[in-house]
């Protein structure tokens, strides 16, 4: 088991590298390189081995020209004498001579019998040559040309190509190995380049994921080599720097708004309060003043909710996080909202998959999220409806569901309901700011959780999934 | 009741001072953090009301300094920073309560009175009484005019909270914090339904009604 894990990791890593476009690019380059090297080596082979072939042919032809000259001038006697002389000078050499009569009996030469292989149309013959005059039966190839003389005499002039063949084989071997090594090196190079490039890109991807999760302070690590990737990373980092600065100034502005605008709004509210208190209790003016207080409060509540969402979305505030047991939290929530549901003749119940299900988070914010969801369910489900809460752990993930059998949300609106101030037209008459679900989403994102709206057939089912806290 | 108010916004400070004086308190005001710390350390106040963001020395630093020197005066923070973290930070620094701007004066008044009371009653009570409504905290029994009243555990805590603040306004937020122990913003008045249930049990068959709704503020339990 222990040994299998690294192997599996390596396989996974290999698969990932092989899938990457970088690896494919490098592989393509490698194939092109191998093709070019193959063509180059083919040319080298053709020019070396071919040159040796042509040399042999030329040598044989020169010998033949010499012998023909002798034969023309001095006849058979001269030819025989010249062959004998040459054989004597080089009995086991590279040159092969044989003159035979009509019965293929040897007249003169350094070959003991006429080869059995038939010559081609131009009189060229390739045959196996048994080492002449030596003990060991060492066969090798020879090239020769055959001539038919007068009186049924036949002449064979050729060369032993043993050395040539050996050289040719040497060259071929060298070239084959060269190609194989080139391919192997190219493959290793492709792998190394692929992994190193993938690693650099992975670093960028990892950083961008962390940034998308809300940590704007993350930066892409530089290798320090000043290469293209460093320049790219540096460019991206500077862009992030700028974005972070802009975000900070936006946050600064919203904090200033919070301080500078909320103070006068509070004053306004306070003065209305003093005004209301100073007016006779049953007069119309008192009623108007009290309505103005309610209006001011609504204004402030919307304003506060917006600021709260903005602060949550900045994602940096996880200081109050700790382990939160969702089971008592949901129990409290149901206990708090049950009378409200009962007033609308709705049933509100809950189930838990365990006696304790803990996630890492902010207790008050999580309560706020569940409260918003339950509040919505109660608000939008018809009297007599049924609202169910469930918390359970499946495959190490904590899931919370709030399901109702109300009208539900049409699929085309399921993304939009999280937008600020978005309200489906039918629900405009229902009191609410249109910020409840935006706040829910901001809190969910802060907890690195996921929210999903689905059809409960009939009704709406909201699912929250959290990563589990290891215990 | 001697209150020190440390608030840099003059209008806000004036409004608060006026309202607190009307409610029967003696109010001193400091306009910045340094002055506030000197005044708080120099004389004996019943409650300190501190703005979180102050010129000179911020509210957190004042409380830390006071607590470090053994000063236990109850502190109520006022803040425009409406985040949970800020509240937690404020309470950790040694604050006793936290109020986010904007707030109704009734909310501030209710909390200040609660803070004063917290300091006053050191001896644990075993019986609470408002008119003919009685609560036995040990036996966890409630009777009105001698007749036993059956309450759910949460209703018991709700009534206990109202009885401990008898005669004074308790806001909805205070009830959420003290009875349910969650700091959150309910979009609807869930508390009202709980109150009306409780009212059905303690007031319905009796006279006079004890549990009163104070419009724009909260609830008050009192005789007459």
């Amino acid at each position: 088991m222990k040994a299998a894990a690294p192997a599996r990791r390596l396989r996974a890593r290999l698969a990932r590298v092989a899938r990457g476009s970088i690896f494919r690019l490098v592989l393509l380059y490698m194939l092109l390189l191998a093709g070019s090297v193959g063509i180059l080596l083919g040319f080298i082979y053709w020019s070396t081995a071919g040159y040796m072939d042509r040399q042999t042919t030329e040598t044989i032809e020169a010998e033949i020209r010499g012998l023909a000259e002798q034969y023309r001038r001095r006849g058979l006697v001269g030819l025989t004498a010249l062959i004998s002389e040459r054989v004597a000078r080089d009995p086991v050499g590279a040159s092969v001579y044989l003159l035979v009569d009509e019965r293929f009996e040897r007249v003169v030469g350094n070959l003991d019998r006429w080869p059995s292989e038939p010559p081609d149309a131009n009189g060229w013959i390739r045959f196996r040559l048994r080492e002449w005059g030596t003990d060991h039966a060492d066969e090798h190839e020879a090239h020769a040309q055959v001539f038919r003389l007068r009186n049924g005499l036949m002449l064979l002039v050729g060369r032993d190509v043993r050395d040539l063949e050996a050289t040719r084989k040497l060259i071929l071997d060298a070239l084959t190995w060269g190609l194989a090594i080139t391919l192997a090196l190219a493959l290793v190079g492709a792998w190394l380049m692929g992994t190193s490039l993938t690693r650099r890109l992975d670093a960028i991807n990892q950083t961008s994921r962390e940034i998308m999760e809300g940590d704007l302070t993350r930066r892409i690590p530089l290798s320090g080599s000043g290469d293209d990737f460093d320049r790219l990373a540096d460019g991206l980092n500077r862009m992030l720097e700028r974005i972070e600065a802009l975000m900070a100034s936006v946050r600064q502005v919203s904090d200033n708004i919070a301080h500078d605008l909320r103070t006068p709004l509070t004053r306004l509210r306070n003065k209305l309060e003093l005004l209301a208190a100073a007016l006779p209790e049953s007069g119309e003016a008192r009623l108007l003043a009290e309505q103005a207080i309610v209006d001011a409060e609504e204004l402030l509540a919307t304003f506060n909710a917006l600021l709260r969402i903005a602060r949550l979305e900045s994602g940096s505030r996880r200081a109050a996080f700790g382990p939160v047991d969702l089971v008592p939290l949901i129990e409290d929530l149901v206990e708090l909202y049950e009378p409200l549901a009962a007033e609308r003749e709705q049933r509100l119940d809950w189930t838990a998959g365990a006696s304790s299900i803990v996630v890492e988070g902010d207790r008050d914010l999580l309560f706020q999220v569940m409260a918003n969801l339950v509040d919505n369910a109660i608000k939008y489900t018809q009297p007599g409806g049924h609202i169910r809460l469930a918390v359970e752990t499946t495959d190490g993930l904590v899931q919370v569901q709030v399901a109702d059998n109300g009208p539900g949300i049409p699929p085309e609106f399921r993304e939009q309901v999280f937008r600020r101030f978005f309200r489906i037209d039918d629900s405009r008459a229902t009191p609410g700011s249109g910020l409840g679900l935006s706040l829910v989403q901001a809190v969910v994102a802060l907890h690195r959780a996921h929210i999903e709206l689905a059809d409960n057939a009939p009704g709406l089912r909201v699912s929250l999934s959290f990563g589990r806290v290891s215990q | 009741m001697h209150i020190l108010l440390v608030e840099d916004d003059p209008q806000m400070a004036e409004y608060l001072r006026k309202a607190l004086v009307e409610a029967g308190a003696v109010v001193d005001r400091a306009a910045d953090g340094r002055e506030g710390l000197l005044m708080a350390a120099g004389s004996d106040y019943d409650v300190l009301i501190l703005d979180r963001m102050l010129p000179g020395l911020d509210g957190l630093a004042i409380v830390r300094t006071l607590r470090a020197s053994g000063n236990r005066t109850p502190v109520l923070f006022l803040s425009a920073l409406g985040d949970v973290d800020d509240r937690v930070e404020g309470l950790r620094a040694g604050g006793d309560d936290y109020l986010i701007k904007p707030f109704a004066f009734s909310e501030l008044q209710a909390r200040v009175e609660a803070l004063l009371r917290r300091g006053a009653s050191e001896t644990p009570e075993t019986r609470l009484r408002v008119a003919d409504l009685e609560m036995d905290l040990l036996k966890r029994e409630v009777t009105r005019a001698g007749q036993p009243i059956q309450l759910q555990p949460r209703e018991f805590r709700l009534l206990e909270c109202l009885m401990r603040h008898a005669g004074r306004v308790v806001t909805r937020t205070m009830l959420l914090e003290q009875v349910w122990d969650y700091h959150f913003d309910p979009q609807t008045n869930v508390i009202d339904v709980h109150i009306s249930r409780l009212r059905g049990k303690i007031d319905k068959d009796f006279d006079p009604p004890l549990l009163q709704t104070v419009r724009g503020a909260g609830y008050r339990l009192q005789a007459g």
Side-chain angles (χ1 to χ4, degrees):
Chain A
M1 271 312 270
K2 267 183 183 164
R8 203 164 39 242
R9 262 204 307 281
L10 183 69
R11 256 203 310 282
R13 195 175 154 72
L14 272 171
R16 199 156 47 87
V17 170
R19 259 201 316 278
S21 62
I22 289 173
F23 182 75
R24 260 179 277 153
L25 210 70
V26 173
L27 196 71
L28 184 71
Y29 173 71
M30 191 196 92
L31 286 176
L32 276 173
L33 179 75
S36 325
V37 169
I39 289 170
L40 185 71
L41 295 183
F43 175 73
I44 291 173
Y45 178 75
W46 177 80
S47 58
T48 51
Y51 171 76
M52 288 188 302
D53 270 349
R54 285 189 298 282
Q55 278 267 305
T56 312
T57 314
E58 272 170 27
T59 312
I60 295 172
E61 278 169 351
E63 294 240 32
I64 290 168
R65 271 198 303 280
L67 292 170
E69 179 70 19
Q70 272 303 318
Y71 183 58
R72 204 179 61 241
R73 271 202 276 158
R74 292 168 56 197
L76 194 58
V77 185
L79 181 64
T80 326
L82 184 59
I83 291 173
S84 303
E85 185 198 328
R86 285 197 182 165
V87 168
R89 204 165 58 215
D90 180 19
V92 288
S95 295
V96 175
Y97 307 95
L98 182 64
L99 184 64
V100 292
D101 60 19
E102 65 274 25
R103 288 190 309 279
F104 286 97
E105 292 289 327
R106 176 163 65 134
V107 179
V108 69
N110 55 4
L111 207 61
D112 50 2
R113 57 186 160 77
W114 191 262
S116 52
E117 291 88 348
D120 67 7
N122 293 325
W124 282 99
I125 188 169
R126 275 169 186 274
F127 60 99
R128 308 296 303 169
L129 185 70
R130 189 175 260 275
E131 186 82 42
W132 196 69
T134 52
D135 295 336
H136 47 89
D138 189 12
E139 274 199 349
H140 35 86
E141 204 174 346
H143 285 190
Q145 191 156 28
V146 177
F147 298 94
R148 203 169 280 279
L149 305 178
R150 276 166 304 173
N151 313 328
L153 288 171
M154 304 258 286
L155 173 64
L156 181 147
V157 181
R159 279 190 82 79
D160 182 347
V161 292
R162 174 178 45 177
D163 293 348
L164 191 70
E165 284 305 313
T167 313
R168 187 205 295 275
K169 191 170 173 329
L170 210 63
I171 292 173
L172 199 63
D173 280 357
L175 295 185
T176 311
W177 278 109
L179 189 63
I181 290 167
T182 306
L183 279 173
L185 285 178
L187 194 67
V188 170
W191 165 250
L192 286 177
M193 268 172 76
T195 45
S196 106
L197 291 182
T198 309
R199 199 175 306 130
R200 302 287 295 276
L201 286 180
D202 277 354
I204 296 176
N205 282 332
Q206 174 65 26
T207 310
S208 55
R209 259 198 306 279
E210 284 167 359
I211 290 167
M212 278 189 290
E213 278 170 5
D215 187 0
L216 264 178
T217 61
R218 298 289 309 171
R219 291 293 177 269
I220 301 161
L222 299 188
S223 72
S225 62
D227 62 2
D228 288 345
F229 276 99
D230 269 12
R231 282 209 298 279
L232 172 69
D234 187 49
L236 290 174
N237 282 348
R238 264 185 292 172
M239 182 180 80
L240 290 170
E241 211 83 57
R242 180 98 184 98
I243 291 173
E244 199 188 2
L246 287 172
M247 289 291 287
S249 74
V250 166
R251 213 169 304 140
Q252 187 62 48
V253 166
S254 66
D255 280 354
N256 288 349
I257 288 172
H259 194 256
D260 297 349
L261 247 167
R262 274 205 270 193
T263 307
L265 276 171
T266 306
R267 275 190 222 130
L268 173 71
R269 198 209 163 286
N270 295 342
K271 281 172 188 158
L272 286 170
E273 211 174 357
L274 292 177
L275 178 67
L279 290 168
E281 195 145 337
S282 52
E284 196 186 346
R286 173 72 173 257
L287 194 68
L288 282 172
E290 277 173 358
Q291 282 166 355
I293 292 175
V294 172
D295 287 350
E297 263 172 2
E298 228 168 81
L299 192 69
L300 284 161
T302 303
F303 191 66
N304 284 339
L306 267 181
L307 282 169
R308 199 165 174 215
I309 293 167
R311 294 184 74 119
L312 288 170
E313 279 179 350
S314 74
S316 51
R317 311 184 67 82
R318 294 202 176 95
F321 270 32
V324 179
D325 191 344
L326 293 178
V327 177
L329 188 122
I330 283 174
E331 202 175 353
D332 287 347
L333 183 82
V334 169
E335 197 264 349
L336 179 62
Y337 277 91
E338 192 274 322
L340 198 65
E343 220 176 44
R344 285 176 57 87
E345 290 161 7
Q346 292 163 339
R347 206 140 47 89
L348 175 64
D349 51 33
W350 66 287
T351 54
S355 60
S356 165
I357 295 177
V358 178
V359 297
E360 182 75 15
D362 182 303
R363 183 172 170 270
D364 290 322
L365 288 178
L366 288 172
F367 194 82
Q368 177 83 64
V369 161
M370 312 281 176
N372 282 12
L373 294 175
V374 169
D375 195 76
N376 276 353
I378 291 174
K379 216 177 330 186
Y380 293 113
T381 303
Q382 68 286 354
H386 186 188
I387 296 145
R388 301 184 59 92
L389 270 89
V391 55
E392 58 194 12
T393 315
T394 36
D395 300 330
L397 278 181
V398 173
Q399 274 234 331
V400 179
Q401 288 200 344
V402 181
D404 62 53
N405 61 354
I409 293 179
E412 64 267 29
F413 292 132
R414 281 183 200 152
E415 285 290 316
Q416 299 179 51
V417 290
F418 293 112
R419 278 201 229 142
R420 272 158 235 204
F421 300 115
F422 179 84
R423 306 197 64 187
I424 300 172
D425 285 339
D426 298 351
S427 68
R428 294 227 173 251
T430 323
S433 60
L435 289 170
L437 283 176
S438 305
L439 181 69
V440 164
Q441 200 186 32
V443 173
V444 163
L446 186 74
H447 285 77
R448 297 202 167 104
H450 293 281
I451 185 164
E452 203 186 297
L453 304 185
D455 193 352
N456 198 33
L460 178 69
R461 190 173 67 239
V462 185
S463 307
L464 303 174
S465 11
F466 298 83
R468 200 232 286 259
V469 167
S470 53
Q471 294 193 333
Chain B
M1 185 159 65
H2 200 186
I3 295 175
L4 174 64
L5 172 66
V6 189
E7 164 68 62
D8 59 321
D9 177 59
Q11 284 201 47
M12 182 79 189
E14 186 48 31
Y15 160 78
L16 286 174
R17 200 192 58 78
K18 213 190 248 171
L20 288 167
V21 167
E22 263 173 40
V26 179
V27 180
D28 291 343
R29 185 213 163 199
D32 68 55
R34 223 173 298 280
E35 190 190 344
L37 178 60
L38 286 174
M39 287 169 74
S43 65
D44 222 5
Y45 289 100
D46 297 312
V47 173
L48 304 179
I49 300 176
L50 299 182
D51 195 6
R52 264 290 303 271
M53 292 212 270
L54 285 169
L57 198 63
D58 82 1
L60 282 186
I62 295 177
V63 173
R64 283 204 196 96
T65 313
L66 286 176
R67 295 291 184 254
S69 64
N71 187 321
R72 305 246 69 88
T73 313
V75 168
L76 172 66
F77 275 119
L78 302 181
S79 172
L81 307 168
D83 252 344
V84 180
D85 286 10
D86 295 317
R87 202 194 68 240
V88 171
E89 228 179 19
L91 298 184
R92 268 187 203 148
D96 298 275
D97 203 354
Y98 201 96
L99 198 50
I100 291 155
K101 288 180 190 171
F103 47 82
F105 178 72
S106 50
E107 183 85 42
L108 175 76
Q109 198 180 15
R111 284 174 191 265
V112 167
E113 283 183 351
L115 283 181
L116 281 171
R117 226 182 120 65
R118 191 188 298 181
S121 70
E122 287 299 317
T123 49
E125 287 162 290
T126 57
R127 295 186 76 82
L128 297 169
R129 172 193 284 270
V130 176
D132 54 353
L133 181 66
E134 281 187 62
M135 174 177 271
D136 187 327
L137 289 165
L138 296 177
K139 292 188 187 160
R140 306 204 65 80
E141 281 171 1
V142 176
T143 57
R144 180 150 186 203
Q147 292 182 41
I149 295 171
Q150 296 303 318
L151 293 180
Q152 300 291 320
R154 192 76 66 174
E155 288 167 343
F156 188 91
R157 282 180 65 183
L158 187 57
L159 184 60
E160 181 190 339
C161 182
L162 289 163
M163 288 183 88
R164 283 188 187 278
H165 297 95
R168 292 184 307 271
V169 172
V170 183
T171 67
R172 294 180 177 85
T173 329
M174 284 168 78
L175 287 174
L176 273 178
E177 289 173 10
Q178 290 172 25
V179 179
W180 276 270
D181 192 26
Y182 287 100
H183 296 261
F184 82 112
D185 168 30
Q187 294 175 310
T188 35
N189 276 332
V190 276
I191 295 296
D192 294 359
V193 198
H194 286 268
I195 291 288
S196 76
R197 276 196 178 185
L198 182 62
R199 190 175 273 145
K201 290 189 175 178
I202 62 163
D203 272 352
K204 200 179 162 216
D205 303 322
F206 304 95
D207 220 39
L210 295 178
L211 183 44
Q212 304 163 353
T213 302
V214 182
R215 198 149 45 138
Y219 305 96
R220 184 170 49 208
L221 193 69
Q222 81 179 81

